[in-house]
Amino acid sequence: MEQPSPVPDTPYHRLGGAPVFEAIANRFYDLMDSDPAYAELRAMHAADLAPMRASLPKFLAGWAGGPRDWFEANPGRCMVSLHAPFTIEALTANQWADAMERAITDVAPEPAEIATSMREVLGRLARGMGR
């Protein structure tokens, strides 16, 4: 009798998989779309956020050790290379980081220490892209 494959020990799987990453991305875009604190960040995006809402959770999933579908569909691309054509001011980089940090906090995935690390790393990544 074949034993089932163990669940990989990655942040993606430990935090709850696709539903959690979709919830984080949706909360992020809800904040960006509705909170005036993110007005400059919102202005950098297209009116229709649906494509981004579909893409970001897949990117985050692969980044966190889950399915690599986004990376396979976008070979050689990463967060920095995707945004290289845009001038990202420190203000908007901080807005992105703050909205993502809030989204992760609001979704509150467990284990909390992994969610905290994800929040911190994504915040540093975003702020590091500001010019």
Side-chain angles (χ1 to χ4, degrees):
M1 179 184 236
E2 190 175 316
Q3 292 195 354
S5 298
V7 175
D9 189 23
T10 66
Y12 172 82
H13 292 94
R14 291 189 64 200
L15 289 171
V20 169
F21 285 80
E22 289 166 8
I24 290 168
N26 282 323
R27 180 64 181 142
F28 171 80
Y29 286 113
D30 289 347
L31 287 166
M32 190 176 79
D33 208 25
S34 65
D35 190 326
Y38 308 119
E40 292 84 1
L41 177 63
R42 179 63 182 96
M44 291 179 71
H45 290 77
D48 181 8
L49 293 174
M52 299 304 299
R53 284 180 187 268
S55 181
L56 182 60
K58 292 175 183 171
F59 170 83
L60 292 173
W63 174 81
R68 304 282 300 167
D69 300 343
W70 187 94
F71 291 92
E72 290 168 8
N74 298 280
R77 304 304 303 265
C78 68
M79 183 77 73
V80 176
S81 68
L82 285 174
H83 293 86
F86 305 101
T87 300
I88 300 176
E89 301 293 333
L91 173 71
T92 50
N94 281 321
Q95 287 179 3
W96 193 100
D98 185 65
M100 181 55 69
E101 290 164 351
R102 281 182 60 191
I104 295 168
T105 298
D106 291 352
V107 171
E110 291 289 334
E113 65 273 7
I114 294 175
T116 297
S117 293
M118 181 176 160
R119 203 171 46 241
E120 291 170 356
V121 169
L122 288 172
R124 282 194 306 269
L125 175 68
R127 288 182 178 98
M129 290 174 35
R131 301 177 186 154

